[in-house]
Amino acid sequence: MADNTDEEYALRLSYLEQTDPNSLAVARLYLEMASNQPPDQRSTALSLFDAADAIFSSHLPTARDAAVAGLALSLNNRAALEIEAGEWDWAVDAACQAVELRQDRLRNCVGRKDDSERLDLGYSLAALVLALQGAGKLGPARDAACEAIMVLGKFAGMRNQDAFVLLTKLICLYADLCNRTGQTPDAGVLLPLAKAFYRAISV
């Protein structure tokens, strides 16, 4: 694995920029650099996210699937950065955009297994839940958590550790948000999951 120091990043970036400064490879490196910035370098990270997003967006007309995937990941990681900084409005905006892009990818996933796109959307919805909760918008946060559970419900009872962990966290968030907003959790959403988990452990 590469040692991702500033010098190593600079060397990789210099090489890629000489080849094609507006390539998806450069955008992905900007995204990697942004995502690995320490918390006290938020402004640097945001500048790198901006640079990555600009390149990803420029490729939407010609390489849409790869560009949408990169842009969605960038927005999702940006949302995580803003959540950590307590910048709730910016976090909600970035997470909303990531959710929209990943919903589009999932809708257009025709003729192939959609587990990857479904899990990615689950992560973006989870970020949106946290951002909305931090912004004090508990009703929308609860609804986003419910949507995320429905998206990830396919994984209930399956041997997918990442999906299981994420789904479990979202169920806990949903239950807490229902309690805080005085709403009863939707049994139509949770009961099928409970049955799937029960079947899995009964085998």
Side-chain angles (χ1 to χ4, degrees):
M1 181 178 292
D3 179 19
N4 292 322
T5 62
D6 289 342
E7 182 179 355
E8 190 266 340
Y9 276 132
L11 289 171
R12 290 168 61 193
L13 186 59
S14 175
Y15 171 77
L16 289 171
E17 286 182 331
Q18 289 177 33
T19 306
D20 183 355
N22 294 310
S23 68
L24 286 170
V26 171
R28 293 186 186 106
L29 182 55
Y30 282 143
L31 171 54
E32 181 184 337
M33 293 168 67
S35 302
N36 286 321
Q37 291 297 309
D40 61 345
Q41 296 297 316
R42 177 171 172 270
S43 60
T44 299
L46 290 174
S47 295
L48 289 165
F49 279 129
D50 288 343
D53 292 354
I55 297 176
F56 284 131
S57 296
S58 72
H59 284 273
L60 288 172
T62 55
R64 181 169 180 79
D65 190 63
V68 168
L71 186 56
L73 179 59
S74 180
L75 287 163
N76 198 80
N77 290 4
R78 182 193 293 260
L81 176 70
E82 299 291 23
I83 288 169
E84 187 173 357
E87 295 289 345
W88 304 116
D89 290 341
W90 290 111
V92 169
D93 181 65
C96 279
Q97 292 183 66
V99 165
E100 290 174 4
L101 288 170
R102 284 178 162 172
Q103 285 173 333
D104 182 65
R105 289 201 83 214
L106 183 59
R107 279 193 299 268
N108 292 307
C109 183
V110 179
R112 59 188 172 89
K113 197 171 183 181
D114 67 3
D115 286 5
S116 179
E117 287 80 5
R118 189 172 294 275
L119 185 56
D120 284 345
L121 177 55
Y123 280 120
S124 290
L125 283 165
L128 181 58
V129 172
L130 295 176
L132 288 167
Q133 181 177 245
K137 300 176 180 179
L138 301 185
R142 178 199 63 223
D143 295 342
C146 186
E147 181 182 352
I149 291 169
M150 289 189 289
V151 166
L152 295 170
K154 175 182 177 180
F155 295 107
M158 294 174 60
R159 298 182 183 277
N160 185 315
Q161 185 67 21
D162 291 336
F164 175 78
V165 170
L166 182 58
L167 184 54
T168 302
K169 289 180 179 178
L170 282 161
I171 290 171
C172 292
L173 279 169
Y174 176 58
D176 179 61
L177 287 162
C178 283
N179 181 59
R180 293 167 67 186
T181 55
Q183 185 177 84
T184 303
D186 189 337
V189 172
L190 298 181
L191 188 57
L193 303 183
K195 290 180 177 178
F197 285 131
Y198 178 77
R199 286 194 298 270
I201 63 175
S202 299
V203 174

